[in-house]
């Protein structure tokens, strides 16, 4: 499991040349790229190129177009950045998963300085371009942490550049490894072993696949391409990393040696990982993963890159290995394998009946993988398997961490002593949860650090914690998560809030132990709701505005029986009431669903629960939103108004979005975000908008992707709600500009640059 605080899921192309970001595993591109820029800034290495994403795709006939962004494993990559999460669904999205890695448990915002570089839409170097530029320049050693999608695509698209890759160093896989975690104490007959003895470390899906390790499982076919590229490979698998756990003595020694910013950042990252670990076995179940591979690789390179892999830190052995990409029996098409299913000729000219033609695991709950009568699954996707024959590749494998040559040292591994001399630093990977930090910054700009911010549920109502049931409809790249997580590249213009997301926690709230500063714990949405309700006077009521999926509101009314009695009314920006003119919804990535709107589609069960409640509801549907969805008019209104920091920032953001929509097809849909602004203006200025409201009886559909989130007008048996039908668009744009330019509500700190000037006084 790549939770290493020092090196987090990046593809590293020679430490001093370039870094490309893996965007389909533990990290999300928008958060990873800016964190990486800040890490490099801290290290004084703004000269290192950083590549992320890309809008290219792979056609149905197997043609690889330029600049594929690596948001999906190769088997599922189509012609867009929208798709399923076959392998990635095994990674938790919230605490202990992508939320914590994206924010580095909160340490990122606490410690890292903000550098001069940041993600910029359509200007950001893509992953593939950075690799092409770097490797074209001459002989290159490649370090791979995380999934291999990006580099595999590079090799498949640029075979003429293979000659420039001297060696590939990989952290991942398990060959002969036996997982030491999840084992039962001797003589404990009541204990049920979990991952004990498995080759892999997939703690969320070992009951279906006990053989895979996260980095390899993220794209087995991609890894297969890398292993079978003919380029020399050194593998540092779980076999070796399982022999170098973070011991208590190393932890204490590391704590005492923090003379550099890199060391401080790395230690604080490690400490919060320790404080928030899921059980009390941190020192026997948290290992030196990516950082150990870096040390082994650099030692091999220092020692002349000998064929036997001579190095200071690990014992090496040559093994014949392949990577399992599908499960036997081969050649049986069951709908799980897009390389073969529905193709007269297999994609990429793969061999019919060959090793890639079997069942491909379709998620953490794949019934094919269930072994009857057993507690462990039978699927082997992503298994780095020792085999003989034509499908095998000779790989130099680290099998064990070397003991410390200094027998008097309290540190039992040679690598520990060297690690403490200099830290190898890297970073971790429509808006992901870690974007809560952007909300904190906006509130700080406005001088409203008093407003509590609660983190809501990561998944849709009644959806499993793992998976991507509805959010798979949102693009990962341009015009999608990459841009919303970074406010289209402008998030770093905002001043930095003293508040941030943090993984700090306490036993009181269900953590296994108190962390160092539990008082900083990130509140949850329901806790903020409870706090607000408790502060109400007996006659007070609450008005709610929503402009996203209704998950949080649904959870509140389902969990708090008194909620509906204190909510006076709720304004919902969302839904689409299809009329006789055939106007469609806006879920443009799901062609089968023509009449849904994204906020309702992303959690149809929550939308249904809220709509069917006793709440006084005013809908601001898609038809009303589209009446004021003009970038030209909204920017014109801000341009002519007197400026405040808020209006200046909004103008800059909206103008940037307008230019992106005009110049690039990937951004054609982003004017729909303008509809989200209508809710706030209507809530406070509706008397100035010359609007009309009608009452309609509606229901919300769910149960299949082709109808999820659709709002149906009913003559009987529907919930009667108020619907905003029409408003004066000119009046709206005027009122929008007035609100942003109200001096009495103007920002306290206008920008990050202004904040830096204040700090330096």
């Amino acid at each position: 499991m790549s939770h290493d605080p020092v090196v987090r899921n990046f593809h590293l192309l020679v430490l001093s040349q370039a870094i490309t970001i893996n965007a389909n595993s533990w990290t999300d591109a928008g958060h990873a790229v800016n964190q990486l820029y800040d890490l490099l800034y801290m290290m004084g290495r703004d000269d290192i190129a950083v590549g992320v994403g890309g809008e290219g795709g792979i056609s149905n006939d197997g043609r690889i177009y330029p600049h594929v962004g690596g948001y999906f494993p190769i088997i599922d990559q189509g012609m867009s950045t929208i798709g399923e999460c076959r392998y990635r669904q095994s990674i938790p999205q919230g605490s202990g998963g992508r939320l914590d890695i994206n924010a580095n448990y909160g340490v990122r915002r606490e410690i890292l300085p903000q550098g001069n570089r940041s993600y910029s839409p359509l200007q950001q170097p893509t992953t593939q371009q950075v690799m092409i530029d770097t490797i074209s320049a001459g002989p290159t050693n490649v370090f791979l942490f995380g999934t291999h999608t990006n580099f595999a695509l590079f090799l498949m698209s640029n075979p003429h550049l293979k000659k420039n890759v001297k060696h590939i160093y990989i952290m991942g896989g398990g060959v002969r490894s036996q997982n030491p975690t999840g084992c039962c104490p001797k003589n404990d007959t009541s204990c049920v072993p979990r991952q004990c003895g498995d080759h892999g470390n997939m703690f969320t899906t070992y009951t279906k696949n006990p053989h895979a390790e996260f980095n390899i499982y993220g794209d087995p076919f991609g890894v297969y391409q890398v292993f079978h590229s003919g380029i020399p490979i050194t593998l540092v698998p779980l076999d070796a990393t399982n022999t170098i756990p973070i011991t208590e003595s190393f932890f204490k020694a590391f704590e005492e040696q923090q003379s550099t910013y890199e060391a401080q950042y790395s230690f604080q990252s490690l400490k919060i990982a320790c404080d928030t670990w899921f059980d009390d076995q941190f020192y026997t179940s948290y290992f030196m993963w990516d950082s150990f591979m870096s040390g082994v690789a650099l030692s091999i390179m220092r020692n002349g890159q000998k064929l036997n892999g001579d190095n200071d830190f690990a014992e090496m052995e040559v093994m014949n290995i392949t990577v399992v990409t599908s499960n036997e029996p081969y050649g049986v098409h069951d709908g799980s394998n897009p390389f073969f299913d529905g193709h007269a000729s297999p994609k990429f000219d793969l061999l019919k009946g060959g090793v890639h033609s079997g069942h491909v695991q379709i998620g953490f709950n794949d019934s094919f993988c269930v072994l009857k009568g057993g507690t462990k699954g039978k699927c082997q996707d992503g298994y780095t398997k020792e085999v003989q024959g034509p499908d095998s590749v000779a790989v130099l494998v680290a099998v064990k961490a070397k003991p410390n040559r200094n027998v008097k040292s309290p540190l039992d591994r040679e690598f520990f002593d060297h690690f403490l001399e200099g830290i190898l630093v890297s970073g971790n990977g429509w808006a992901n949860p870690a974007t809560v930090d952007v909300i904190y910054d906006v509130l700080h700009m406005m001088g409203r650090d008093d407003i509590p911010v609660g983190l809501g549920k990561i998944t849709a109502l009644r959806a499993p914690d793992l998976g991507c049931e509805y959010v798979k409809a949102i693009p990962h790249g341009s015009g999608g998560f990459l841009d919303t997580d970074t406010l289209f590249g402008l998030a770093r213009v905002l001043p930095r809030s003293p508040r941030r997301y943090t993984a700090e926690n306490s036993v009181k709230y269900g953590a296994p132990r108190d962390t160092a500063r539990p008082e900083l714990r990130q509140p949850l949405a329901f806790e903020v709701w409870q706090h607000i309700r408790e502060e109400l006077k007996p006659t007070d009521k609450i008005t709610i505005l929503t402009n996203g999926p209704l998950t949080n509101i649904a959870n509140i009314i389902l969990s708090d029986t008194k909620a509906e009695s204190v909510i006076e009314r709720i304004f919902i920006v969302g839904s689409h009431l299809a009329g006789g003119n055939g106007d469609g919804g806006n879920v443009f990535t799901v062609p089968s669903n023509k009449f849904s709107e994204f906020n309702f589609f992303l959690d149809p069960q929550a939308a249904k629960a809220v709509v069917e409640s006793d709440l006084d509801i005013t809908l601001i549907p898609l038809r009303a939103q589209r009446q004021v969805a003009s970038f030209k008019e909204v920017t014109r209104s801000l341009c002519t108004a007197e400026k405040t920091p808020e209006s200046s920032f909004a103008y800059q953001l909206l103008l940037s979005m307008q230019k992106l929509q005009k110049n690039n097809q990937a951004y054609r849909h982003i004017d729909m975000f303008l509809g989200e602004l209508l809710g706030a203006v209507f809530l406070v200025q509706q008397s100035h908008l010359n609007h009309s409201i009608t009452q309609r009886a509606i229901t919300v559909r769910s149960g299949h992707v082709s109808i999820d989130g659709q709002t149906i007008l009913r003559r009987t048996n529907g919930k009667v709600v108020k619907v905003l039908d029409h408003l004066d668009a000119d009046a709206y744009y005027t009122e929008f500009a007035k609100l942003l330019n109200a001096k009495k509500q103007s920002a306290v700190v206008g920008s990050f640059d202004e904040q830096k000037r204040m700090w330096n006084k």
Side-chain angles (χ1 to χ4, degrees):
M1 179 171 58
S2 292
H3 273 192
D4 200 313
V6 182
V7 184
R8 292 183 190 273
N9 289 339
F10 293 114
H11 296 294
L12 203 57
L13 304 181
V14 184
L15 290 175
S16 62
Q17 292 184 22
I19 299 173
T20 66
I21 293 172
N22 159 41
N24 65 356
S25 187
W26 285 85
T27 55
D28 292 288
H31 293 287
V33 62
N34 283 334
Q35 181 173 185
L36 186 50
Y37 279 142
D38 291 346
L39 278 164
L40 292 171
Y41 176 73
M42 177 178 71
M43 299 167 67
R45 294 308 308 269
D46 280 345
D47 59 304
I48 293 179
V50 175
V52 62
E55 297 300 306
I58 301 177
S59 65
N60 202 40
D61 61 0
R63 178 183 175 185
I64 302 173
Y65 286 77
H67 305 296
V68 179
Y71 295 108
F72 306 102
I74 294 172
I75 192 171
D76 291 325
Q77 177 65 60
M79 290 301 294
S80 76
T81 65
I82 302 154
E84 296 279 357
C85 55
R86 178 192 299 265
Y87 302 120
R88 199 185 196 194
Q89 63 185 271
S90 295
I91 298 172
Q93 298 180 58
S95 298
R98 282 157 52 194
L99 170 60
D100 279 334
I101 304 305
N102 282 335
N104 196 15
Y105 298 85
V107 176
R108 166 192 171 188
R109 300 274 296 208
E110 177 185 18
I111 295 178
L112 282 184
Q114 183 166 307
N116 300 314
R117 294 189 290 175
S118 64
Y119 162 76
S120 179
L122 301 182
Q123 304 299 314
Q124 176 71 41
T126 67
T127 291
Q128 293 298 316
Q129 190 59 57
V130 166
M131 285 192 286
I132 290 170
D133 292 347
T134 302
I135 295 174
S136 295
T140 306
N141 288 299
V142 174
F143 289 17
L144 294 179
F145 313 97
T147 59
H148 293 200
T149 309
N150 291 338
F151 192 60
L153 289 167
F154 167 82
L155 294 174
M156 295 168 73
S157 303
N158 303 278
H160 62 290
L161 290 177
K162 284 184 183 180
K163 65 181 186 297
N164 281 6
V165 181
K166 291 174 60 179
H167 204 100
I168 303 171
Y169 296 92
I170 298 170
M171 189 277 130
V175 186
R176 302 171 185 166
S177 56
Q178 294 185 329
N179 197 320
T181 66
C183 298
C184 292
K186 291 181 179 180
N187 303 321
D188 187 345
T189 57
S190 63
C191 175
V192 178
R194 300 188 303 276
Q195 294 174 265
C196 185
D198 292 354
H199 291 299
N201 68 349
M202 300 282 294
F203 63 92
T204 58
T205 190
Y206 66 91
T207 59
K208 305 298 186 297
N209 185 337
H211 303 281
E213 179 273 337
F214 273 106
N215 291 348
I216 309 300
Y217 178 76
D219 191 346
F221 182 79
V223 182
Y224 185 95
Q225 298 305 308
V226 173
F227 271 66
H228 289 77
S229 65
I231 301 169
I233 289 175
T234 294
L235 178 68
V236 180
L238 297 178
D239 306 53
T241 60
N242 283 347
T243 67
I244 186 165
I246 297 289
T247 62
E248 192 167 5
S249 57
F250 169 78
F251 187 92
K252 291 179 179 178
F254 192 6
E255 186 174 24
E256 294 169 0
Q257 298 188 41
Q258 298 183 57
S259 58
T260 66
Y261 292 123
E262 292 90 340
Q264 293 169 25
Y265 184 71
S266 298
F267 177 74
Q268 291 302 322
S269 301
L270 181 63
K271 186 177 187 305
I272 192 65
C274 175
D275 289 349
T276 58
W277 199 242
F278 67 96
D279 63 14
D280 59 359
Q281 302 299 312
F282 177 82
Y283 294 117
T284 59
S285 58
Y286 193 102
F287 303 96
M288 282 279 191
W289 289 291
D290 301 339
S291 50
F292 185 58
M293 190 282 277
S294 299
V296 171
L298 290 174
S299 182
I300 291 174
M301 292 162 66
R302 278 199 305 264
N303 291 346
Q305 227 160 16
K306 298 173 183 175
L307 292 177
N308 65 355
D310 178 47
N311 72 93
D312 297 327
F313 308 129
E315 298 175 9
M316 310 298 292
E317 182 178 335
V318 175
M319 299 183 189
N320 292 320
I321 292 173
T322 192
V323 178
V324 178
T325 63
S326 71
N327 299 277
E328 298 186 58
Y330 299 136
V332 178
H333 302 163
D334 59 4
S336 70
N337 192 333
F339 288 145
F340 292 85
D341 297 333
H343 292 280
S345 298
K347 211 168 183 177
F348 303 126
D349 294 323
L350 298 177
L351 179 65
K352 291 183 178 181
V355 295
H356 305 301
S357 67
H359 176 91
V360 179
Q361 190 170 344
I362 54 177
F364 65 91
N365 205 22
D366 188 342
S367 60
F368 174 91
C369 301
V370 175
L371 190 62
K372 292 182 179 179
T375 59
K376 299 293 178 71
K378 65 178 182 179
C379 281
Q380 297 187 7
D381 307 63
Y383 179 21
T384 44
K385 190 174 185 178
E386 202 170 2
V387 296
Q388 301 297 326
D391 197 47
S392 66
V393 177
V395 175
L396 188 61
V397 179
V399 296
K400 184 180 180 181
K402 289 182 178 179
N404 198 331
R405 287 173 290 187
N406 180 2
V407 295
K408 296 181 179 180
S409 172
L411 305 176
D412 62 350
R413 294 291 184 265
E414 184 71 19
F415 179 66
F416 285 153
D417 274 332
H418 291 262
F419 180 92
L420 292 172
E421 293 174 5
I423 308 302
L424 291 168
V425 179
S426 188
N428 62 315
W430 220 278
N432 283 291
T435 310
V436 66
D437 283 336
V438 176
I439 296 173
Y440 282 135
D441 288 349
V442 171
L443 290 172
H444 185 60
M445 177 179 72
M446 299 168 65
R448 295 308 308 269
D449 289 335
D450 59 307
I451 295 179
V453 176
L455 191 62
K457 283 278 290 182
I458 306 297
T459 54
L461 189 68
R462 303 187 184 99
D465 290 337
L466 299 174
C468 57
E469 187 172 357
Y470 300 108
V471 295
K472 64 188 179 187
I474 299 174
H476 285 265
S478 296
F481 283 124
L482 177 58
D483 280 304
T484 54
D485 283 346
T486 61
L487 275 187
F488 294 83
L490 293 175
R492 289 154 69 84
V493 173
L494 294 167
R496 273 210 178 183
S497 170
R499 295 189 292 173
R500 67 186 187 284
Y501 167 78
T502 175
E504 298 279 359
N505 210 338
S506 69
V507 173
K508 177 182 177 181
Y509 293 100
R513 69 196 63 80
D514 284 358
T515 59
R517 292 176 293 175
E519 70 279 2
L520 298 179
R521 172 183 169 273
Q522 170 65 49
L524 301 179
F526 189 69
E527 295 164 9
V528 170
W529 163 259
Q530 289 177 309
H531 171 74
I532 292 171
R533 189 168 66 77
E534 289 167 1
E535 295 291 313
L536 294 176
K537 297 175 182 178
T539 58
D540 286 347
K541 298 288 185 180
I542 297 171
T543 296
I544 294 175
L545 168 67
T546 73
N547 61 357
L550 298 177
T551 312
N552 289 337
I553 302 302
N555 279 312
I556 286 171
I557 62 175
L558 292 173
S559 303
D560 182 354
T561 57
K562 297 180 180 179
E564 293 185 29
S565 65
V566 298
I567 299 175
E568 183 174 30
R569 52 185 177 169
I570 179 170
F571 293 84
I572 299 174
V573 180
S575 82
H576 175 57
L577 305 177
N581 57 2
D583 57 332
N586 68 353
V587 187
F588 63 95
T589 58
V590 184
S592 64
N593 192 326
K594 299 182 183 301
F595 300 109
S596 189
E597 178 272 340
F598 257 113
N599 289 343
F600 274 40
F601 173 82
L602 289 172
D603 196 339
Q605 290 287 340
K608 187 176 180 67
V610 173
V611 166
E612 292 178 354
S613 71
D614 292 330
L615 294 173
D616 182 346
I617 296 173
T618 298
L619 281 184
I620 303 176
L622 205 53
R623 191 182 305 173
Q625 296 174 43
R626 286 170 171 165
Q627 294 172 38
V628 291
S630 168
F631 278 118
K632 179 180 178 181
E633 295 302 324
V634 72
T635 53
R636 179 186 296 172
S637 70
L638 290 174
C639 186
T640 57
E642 189 177 353
K643 294 290 187 293
T644 62
E646 290 94 337
S647 65
S648 295
F649 179 79
Y651 177 75
Q652 187 179 0
L653 174 61
L654 294 170
L655 188 63
S656 176
M657 293 170 69
Q658 180 185 17
K659 291 178 179 178
L660 290 168
Q661 186 188 49
K662 180 180 179 180
N663 295 325
N664 192 281
Q665 186 71 7
Y667 293 89
R668 66 191 183 280
H669 62 279
I670 62 173
D671 55 355
M672 70 182 186
F673 296 134
L674 293 175
E676 308 289 339
L677 304 175
L678 175 57
V681 178
F682 185 78
L683 180 64
V684 296
Q685 298 290 92
Q686 56 184 281
S687 61
H688 298 273
L689 299 182
N690 190 25
H691 65 284
S692 62
I693 286 180
T694 59
Q695 291 191 338
R696 307 282 182 90
I698 65 170
T699 59
V700 179
R701 304 176 76 187
S702 66
H704 189 272
V705 67
S706 63
I707 62 169
D708 281 334
Q710 291 184 7
T711 310
I712 306 300
L713 294 171
R714 297 289 191 189
R715 293 184 178 179
T716 59
N717 300 326
K719 166 65 182 290
V720 177
V721 300
K722 302 181 185 75
V723 178
L724 177 61
D725 282 331
H726 175 80
L727 70 156
D728 184 330
D730 290 337
Y732 165 78
Y733 293 125
T734 299
E735 295 303 319
F736 174 71
K738 283 182 180 178
L739 283 173
L740 280 178
N741 286 288
K743 294 290 186 181
K744 291 182 179 180
Q745 301 177 35
S746 183
V748 174
V749 185
S751 68
F752 180 68
D753 286 340
E754 180 183 331
Q755 190 177 41
K756 286 198 294 185
R757 289 193 294 270
M758 293 167 63
W759 290 340
N760 292 329
K761 286 182 179 179

